[in-house]
Amino acid sequence: MDDQLRQRLGLPELQDSTLAVNADMVLEESSKLDAAGTTVLNVSREDVEKGRLESYLREFKKYEKKRLRGKIIIIFNGYEQDRREVYQVREITNWVDRLLKNVPHLFYFLSRDNYAMRIAFFCLSEVVGRSGMEVSITKEQGRRLIEKVTKSALVYAKKSKDSPAEQWSLAESILDELGYEQTVQ
């Protein structure tokens, strides 16, 4: 990660190789932990269509107390017969947008499992194309959005007193999952 990006995200400097080794160990450890213990947040179609967020915001308060970093998968129920992808359903994208406004550190909690983080990201993005499993957004918009959600997650991580190594692990996890490298090429 280049120094300018590190500064934009508000990541602490890596002081020495010990911190870098610790960050690698935390990343390795967190990937083992992420495989187990995910929590599914089931969101009903009715709640999406009526714009109901309150009960889900209460759930996120619980996740904060339990420190469920990288453990949440959001499932939208009632859309099984809809041929569109989740990020193509306007009601869902509006709901996710409102959720992010109320929980700016949303990506702190989202799991990499089942593409949970990517699905939320595409709900927040302006998708310009799709070919099979590949989804396209503009590089500039993607870069700005990835930096925004990563920075918000890191602000929360600092507030939660996560160690510098945990902050680096979190940032690298989000940047990697959302394909940040593809936006700077």
Side-chain angles (χ1 to χ4, degrees):
M1 178 180 314
D2 72 27
D3 203 48
Q4 287 182 332
L5 176 59
R6 181 194 63 74
Q7 288 175 354
R8 281 195 309 274
L9 296 177
L11 273 168
E13 277 190 65
L14 286 175
Q15 296 299 325
D16 57 27
S17 59
T18 309
L19 186 55
V21 169
N22 286 344
D24 288 342
M25 287 173 28
V26 168
L27 186 59
E28 206 173 286
E29 209 41 48
S30 68
S31 64
K32 288 178 194 169
L33 292 173
D34 285 346
T38 55
T39 298
V40 175
L41 178 66
N42 286 294
V43 181
S44 75
R45 184 175 189 146
E46 181 181 357
D47 286 348
V48 167
E49 289 175 353
K50 294 192 179 203
R52 292 188 199 130
L53 270 181
E54 299 77 24
S55 63
Y56 304 101
L57 295 177
R58 284 193 295 275
E59 287 300 311
F60 274 94
K61 290 291 181 203
K62 292 177 190 172
Y63 301 157
E64 289 173 5
K65 288 183 177 119
K66 293 179 182 178
R67 300 182 54 83
L68 295 180
R69 178 171 62 103
K71 301 280 187 208
I72 307 303
I73 296 173
I74 301 175
I75 303 288
F76 295 96
N77 297 315
Y79 292 90
E80 296 79 12
Q81 304 305 315
D82 196 316
R83 291 184 176 274
R84 297 172 293 174
E85 296 293 333
V86 170
Y87 60 83
Q88 294 174 314
V89 178
R90 182 60 50 206
E91 295 85 6
I92 293 176
T93 61
N94 290 341
W95 190 91
V96 172
D97 188 52
R98 286 186 56 229
L99 179 63
L100 183 67
K101 284 181 173 76
N102 284 276
V103 185
H105 49 282
L106 175 65
F107 284 76
Y108 178 90
F109 296 106
L110 292 178
S111 171
R112 292 176 72 168
D113 296 345
N114 298 336
Y115 302 106
M117 195 181 290
R118 285 186 190 195
I119 290 168
F121 176 72
F122 290 133
C123 284
L124 298 164
S125 302
E126 191 173 317
V127 175
V128 293
R130 183 176 149 216
S131 175
M133 294 297 288
E134 293 293 313
V135 177
S136 300
I137 61 174
T138 64
K139 286 185 178 187
E140 181 62 30
Q141 186 224 12
R143 183 172 47 254
R144 282 194 318 265
L145 183 56
I146 294 168
E147 287 183 15
K148 174 186 170 186
V149 300
T150 305
K151 185 174 184 174
S152 295
L154 287 168
V155 166
Y156 180 78
K158 284 180 194 154
K159 185 177 125 188
S160 299
K161 299 191 179 1
D162 287 6
S163 72
E166 289 170 317
Q167 291 173 42
W168 271 86
S169 172
L170 174 66
E172 288 173 346
S173 174
I174 295 170
L175 294 171
D176 181 53
E177 182 64 14
L178 298 182
Y180 185 79
E181 282 300 313
Q182 295 170 346
T183 69
V184 292
Q185 294 174 351

